[in-house]
Amino acid sequence: MRQAVRVLLLGDTHGALDARVLALARRCDLAVHAGDVGNAGVLDALRAACGTVQAVRGNNDVVWKWPAAQAPRLAALPLTLHVELPGGVLAVEHGDRAAAAVRHARLRRDHAAARAVLYGHSHRLLIDTGARPWLLNAGAAGRARTHGGASCLVLHATTRSWRVQARRFPT
């Protein structure tokens, strides 16, 4: 395993990946998508930009919303991931399986062994490093409900420390 990686964290593209987020992916070692991908083209663009992409399925990643020919790609998306990074594990899920009022408590409980949890669903940018595991929501990296512009996070993970930067691209 490498000693340091730069990870693009994103979610809620709903089939449209903002070009500025894609440009940022070119400067990352891998991309991790927290669901509501929208179609395989988003994953292909990220893979072309940074080489490695991992993604989970969101509540809108359903067979009737994806092109029929992409059904096998959709079926291959898991509901949760645990990504091994230098210095710890990043747990990933979409976040739609719990009501907003209890979501953070459930994520921390269900992924207690992780260093951080990336989730989506709310389209709201969040970096909560006040307790372990950290809770990270990259907002929306597409066009749907961006709340001020497409956004994402960049995680700098080393064996000694993790640092997260928020990026927002105004509409």
Side-chain angles (χ1 to χ4, degrees), residues 1 27-28 154:
M1 180 181 295
R27 299 193 314 254
C28 293
V154 177

Side-chain angles (χ1 to χ4, degrees), residues 74-88:
L74 171 62
L77 295 177
L79 291 176
T80 61
L81 280 174
H82 289 94
V83 182
E84 295 279 343
L85 298 172

Side-chain angles (χ1 to χ4, degrees), residues 5 24 33 40 42 67 81 85 101-102 122 160 163 169:
V5 294
L24 188 57
H33 197 299
V42 170
L81 280 174
L85 298 172
V102 297
S122 70
R160 292 185 182 161
R163 181 171 44 93
F169 302 99

Side-chain angles (χ1 to χ4, degrees), residues 5 10 13 16 18 33 46 50 55 57 70 82 89 98 123 130 143-144 147-148 155 165-166 170:
V5 294
L10 71 159
T13 48
D18 188 281
H33 197 299
L46 288 167
C50 67
R57 189 173 350 133
Q70 296 177 9
H82 289 94
V89 171
H123 294 227
R143 292 187 288 252
H147 303 287
L155 170 64
Q165 295 175 303

Side-chain angles (χ1 to χ4, degrees), residues 56-102:
V56 296
R57 189 173 350 133
N59 62 303
N60 282 290
D61 292 321
V62 291
V63 72
W64 60 88
K65 290 187 177 186
W66 276 50
Q70 296 177 9
R73 303 266 313 266
L74 171 62
L77 295 177
L79 291 176
T80 61
L81 280 174
H82 289 94
V83 182
E84 295 279 343
L85 298 172
V89 171
L90 174 68
V92 187
E93 68 172 77
H94 188 57
D96 60 306
R97 293 183 288 157
V102 297

